[in-house]
Amino acid sequence: MEEKDPILSTGTTITMGGVERKIRRLGIRDLMKLSTLVSDLLSGGSYQLQEKILSYTPAADKNQLDAIGTIIILGFPLIENNIMDVMGSFLEVTQEDLNDPSKFPMDALPVFLEGLWKHPDFLSFFGQMKQMVSNLLKMVPTNNQEAQE
């Protein structure tokens, strides 16, 4: 059984197309990649995603995770290339492999996302990201604040 503590984790194993793959340990460079993905999604105008991220907790129930996952998937056209780069990096496979449907069929993406949701390093990242986004949103003036100035 895999450890839940990010410090003790060696990654998360998932099964894609009948093949076990490991989402490797995630580090500071990955934090930057994930931050960029979230930033690109948020700047794409997804207020609903902002709200879901701010309400996320590591002990989130399945409905909350499903809602976040659905919103992110709907935003994928905004960040398609970045998603593919991150997926390839985290699974330690080439873009050529990712483009091969016999290795990565259509259901590979939801399996990858589910594995990422459960990855101890990702859960740690998301908790920190939630706080960062919350702080950034507090700095953005609302329409009421602008009208008062």
Side-chain angles (χ1 to χ4, degrees):
M1 185 168 155
E2 295 179 28
E3 296 291 335
K4 298 293 181 197
D5 183 346
I7 301 221
L8 302 175
S9 174
T10 59
T12 298
T13 302
I14 56 177
T15 303
M16 301 170 118
V19 177
E20 279 198 358
R21 299 188 184 274
K22 184 169 238 173
I23 299 175
R24 64 173 173 73
R25 282 294 315 265
L26 306 176
I28 190 70
R29 297 290 293 170
D30 303 311
L31 175 65
M32 297 303 116
K33 290 177 186 179
L34 291 172
S35 296
T36 299
L37 287 175
V38 171
S39 175
D40 289 349
L41 277 171
L42 293 177
S43 66
S46 178
Y47 178 75
Q48 190 177 12
L49 179 61
Q50 294 173 19
E51 290 297 310
K52 292 294 183 186
I53 288 173
L54 292 175
S55 68
Y56 174 81
T57 59
D61 67 22
K62 183 176 178 352
N63 290 334
Q64 189 177 17
L65 291 177
D66 287 347
I68 293 171
T70 299
I71 293 165
I72 290 173
I73 288 171
L74 292 174
F76 277 174
L78 299 171
I79 57 170
E80 175 186 353
N81 292 332
N82 293 350
I83 286 287
M84 295 301 285
D85 290 344
V86 165
M87 194 170 168
S89 171
F90 288 12
L91 293 171
E92 297 180 313
V93 298
T94 67
Q95 292 302 307
E96 184 177 312
D97 286 337
L98 285 175
N99 291 333
D100 183 344
S102 66
K103 294 179 182 178
F104 291 91
M106 287 181 74
D107 67 348
L109 185 57
V111 171
F112 172 74
L113 290 175
E114 184 178 353
L116 197 56
W117 289 135
K118 296 176 182 177
H119 195 294
D121 293 328
F122 182 78
L123 292 174
S124 175
F125 157 77
F126 224 96
Q128 292 175 24
M129 191 63 175
K130 175 186 170 187
Q131 184 61 48
M132 184 176 81
V133 170
S134 176
N135 291 339
L136 288 173
L137 290 176
K138 288 175 187 174
M139 295 169 41
V140 176
T142 64
N143 288 340
N144 291 339
Q145 289 172 330
E146 290 172 353
Q148 292 174 359
E149 291 180 359

